[in-house]
Amino acid sequence: LIPMLLRPHGTNEPSLPQYGMVFDAGSSHTSLFVYQWPAGKENDTGIVSQALACAVEGPGISYYREEPARAGESLRDCMQEALGLIPDHLHRGTPTFLGATAGMRLLSQQNSSQADQLFEEISKTLRQFPVDFRGAQLLTGNEEGSFGWITINYLLESLVKYSFAGRWMLPTAAELVGALDLGGASTQITFRPQRPGGDPGTQEDFRLYGDNYTVYTHSYLCYGRDQALKMLQAHLVQASRSRRVDHPCYPSGFQETLLLEGLYNSSCTRRPDRYNPRSEILLSGTGDPEACFSAVRTLFNFSSCGGREDCAFNGVYQPAVYGKFYAFSAFYYTFNFLNLTQGQSLSVTNATIWEFCKKRWDELETSYPDQKKRLPNYCPTAVYILTLLLDGYKFTDESWSTISFRKQAADADIGWSLGYMLNLTNMIPSEKPAWSRAQNRDVWIAAVSFLVLAVSLTVAALAVQYFCRPA
């Protein structure tokens, strides 16, 4: 009787898993995510889980613009690892996608034929594997932001909630979590505003689980971490007009030599009318946080908003931030290094960054010997994040506490890839889940309650027999 009661109504044996794969081809690196869900349960909420995350060795696919075949070859090791996880008989039914983001958006602007060739070579390689490859696609900035928002709220089961009264309940806007994504070449902000409206170009509409959602979303190309740091270098070089340039965000005692060719190889940095690409520039750190904040602010055009409250920067419309937010990708990695992911106040966050930016290079090398490659950029990145969130997106002392710096939700990495797969495989229904699940849930709860009651009565009866037996 007990095993029968513990089995949810309407099920006999555990469902066999199904799988889906998504390559997240970012500007600086590519990752492969493998997702898993029970067969026949595609339309339930929160049912998909992450089975594997594989980091592709090497840089992002746009790096291979001159040798496009190498971009496809770079994906082979992760594909082999994924196929080793998925049972052989399920390989050919596994939907597989590749989505490219801001690095490829930049390349498409600069040289569309190179971008097309990269996609052709990648598709040629992935079609050699026994999977259901459904193509390589360039995501728009709004798609990248929107799919990240769907991922977070799907994993947190915020899009639809189950009531023990036996019905599905839709969440309020305040229960939904906004998405703050900082990649290498772009940054995205997506949330459900308190009052929709404004610029239709920053609006995306969805129908999920029987409810209509209108979210604000905007992607700032060139304002990802790597491109922002490059824009900062270009600003300092042009302001100095010298081959030796003081960098206030680099630690005192640190020096870096770079070629102008590497500084101006992106459309994000404005080239001088005349310059020698082979000229070398020496960047010398001064460890001056006040000057660092001032220099970083020059990357944003705040005057273009003309004093409007519904404007972020560069003249872009943005309603007031509303609700809770998850900040992930480079937001998380930078603040995790600085031990600022435990809900610290804005004042503590600001003081921590300020003190870190004053440390000398020899002190940092001794304290973090395994981080030498990334170490010089933690200060400028942290200052950039604060400037973007506070001056750009208009978070305040009060709303700062609504931001959680996270890498994962429900044991899955946060990013656009899961939302992208759910959308392309139609795994989130436009209408509410079937009423039968609510009925089954009621039966399940009643069965468990009956079992608890039966065990309690049995224990009580045994106690009465023991204590009331004749002497």
Side-chain angles (χ1 to χ4, degrees), residues 260-274:
L260 290 184
E261 182 179 39
L263 186 61
Y264 297 118
N265 64 355
S266 165
S267 58
C268 296
T269 51
R270 183 177 299 175
R271 301 179 183 180
D273 293 334
R274 294 181 180 179

Side-chain angles (χ1 to χ4, degrees), residues 31 50 63 118 154 163 194 211 236 320 343 355 374 376 420 450:
S31 296
Q50 181 175 304
Y63 175 84
L118 276 169
Y154 177 87
S163 164
Q194 194 168 19
D211 192 23
L236 295 171
E355 288 303 313
R374 300 183 181 90
Y420 179 72
F450 176 77

Side-chain angles (χ1 to χ4, degrees), residues 309-354:
E309 293 185 358
D310 60 349
C311 179
F313 59 93
N314 296 1
V316 175
Y317 164 79
Q318 180 195 299
V321 291
Y322 179 69
K324 296 180 180 180
F325 286 81
Y326 273 15
F328 51 99
S329 299
F331 283 123
Y332 168 80
Y333 291 114
T334 304
F335 273 35
N336 182 60
F337 171 81
L338 296 170
N339 295 317
L340 290 173
T341 59
Q342 304 303 314
Q344 286 88 346
S345 66
L346 179 56
S347 60
V348 170
T349 300
N350 190 64
T352 300
I353 293 172
W354 194 275

Side-chain angles (χ1 to χ4, degrees), residues 386-424:
L386 272 188
T387 305
L388 174 65
L389 294 179
L390 300 177
D391 299 329
Y393 295 156
K394 306 297 191 296
F395 283 94
T396 63
D397 287 350
E398 293 75 24
S399 59
W400 179 262
S401 61
T402 66
I403 306 175
S404 296
F405 294 87
R406 301 289 184 92
K407 179 178 184 288
Q408 291 190 322
D411 298 322
D413 289 9
I414 300 174
W416 57 265
S417 57
L418 176 56
Y420 179 72
M421 188 196 74
L422 294 172
N423 178 69
L424 291 181

Side-chain angles (χ1 to χ4, degrees), residues 31-325:
S31 296
L32 172 60
F33 295 99
V34 179
Y35 299 106
Q36 174 182 325
W37 61 92
K41 296 291 184 181
E42 295 89 344
N43 288 342
D44 287 349
T45 175
I47 203 74
V48 177
S49 61
Q50 181 175 304
L52 174 70
C54 180
V56 173
E57 189 172 346
I61 60 174
S62 59
Y63 175 84
Y64 301 105
R65 63 188 70 185
E66 301 294 342
E67 300 176 278
R70 291 183 58 197
E73 291 300 314
S74 70
L75 310 180
R76 286 187 179 276
D77 287 346
C78 278
M79 276 295 292
Q80 294 291 359
E81 184 175 346
L83 292 178
L85 171 72
I86 301 170
D88 291 350
H89 68 281
L90 296 178
H91 285 179
R92 294 199 177 278
T94 299
T96 303
F97 309 90
L98 183 139
T101 53
M104 287 295 288
R105 291 200 291 272
L106 283 174
L107 180 58
S108 293
Q109 290 180 357
Q110 297 167 354
N111 192 323
S112 60
S113 62
Q114 284 186 333
D116 292 341
Q117 187 63 36
L118 276 169
F119 281 128
E120 287 180 16
E121 291 295 334
I122 286 169
S123 298
K124 185 188 302 182
T125 298
L126 293 180
R127 287 194 185 100
Q128 296 172 10
F129 290 90
V131 295
D132 179 15
F133 176 60
R134 301 189 183 181
Q137 180 182 351
L138 180 63
L139 275 69
T140 68
N142 280 9
E143 287 174 334
E144 188 176 357
S146 299
F147 291 141
W149 181 87
I150 290 175
T151 294
I152 292 172
N153 288 286
Y154 177 87
L155 291 171
L156 297 177
E157 299 196 41
S158 300
L159 296 173
V160 63
K161 296 181 180 295
Y162 183 80
S163 164
F164 286 104
R167 61 184 64 197
W168 295 98
M169 299 178 62
L170 296 170
T172 65
E175 293 176 303
L176 295 165
V177 177
L180 298 168
D181 183 7
L182 180 59
S186 70
T187 187
Q188 288 74 232
I189 177 172
T190 309
F191 62 98
R192 196 180 192 188
Q194 194 168 19
R195 287 181 291 274
D199 180 5
T202 61
Q203 181 175 301
E204 291 290 331
D205 299 309
F206 309 102
R207 184 169 178 82
L208 309 170
Y209 296 118
D211 192 23
N212 295 317
Y213 294 90
T214 297
V215 299
Y216 168 86
T217 186
H218 187 74
S219 175
Y220 293 89
L221 190 60
C222 295
Y223 283 83
R225 176 193 57 199
D226 300 340
Q227 293 299 326
L229 295 183
K230 183 173 286 191
M231 288 195 296
L232 177 60
Q233 290 177 336
H235 163 75
L236 295 171
V237 167
Q238 293 173 16
S240 172
R241 297 176 181 269
S242 170
R243 291 192 176 185
R244 182 185 175 92
V245 179
D246 287 343
H247 197 315
C249 305
Y250 281 168
S252 177
F254 174 80
Q255 292 186 331
E256 177 185 34
T257 301
L258 56 86
L259 288 172
L260 290 184
E261 182 179 39
L263 186 61
Y264 297 118
N265 64 355
S266 165
S267 58
C268 296
T269 51
R270 183 177 299 175
R271 301 179 183 180
D273 293 334
R274 294 181 180 179
Y275 78 102
N276 180 0
R278 305 306 298 172
S279 292
E280 290 187 344
I281 296 294
L282 179 66
L283 295 175
S284 182
T286 61
D288 185 346
E290 183 175 2
C292 179
F293 273 95
S294 297
V296 167
R297 279 186 60 87
T298 63
L299 306 182
F300 303 85
N301 186 347
F302 296 116
S303 61
S304 60
C305 288
R308 288 166 38 218
E309 293 185 358
D310 60 349
C311 179
F313 59 93
N314 296 1
V316 175
Y317 164 79
Q318 180 195 299
V321 291
Y322 179 69
K324 296 180 180 180
F325 286 81

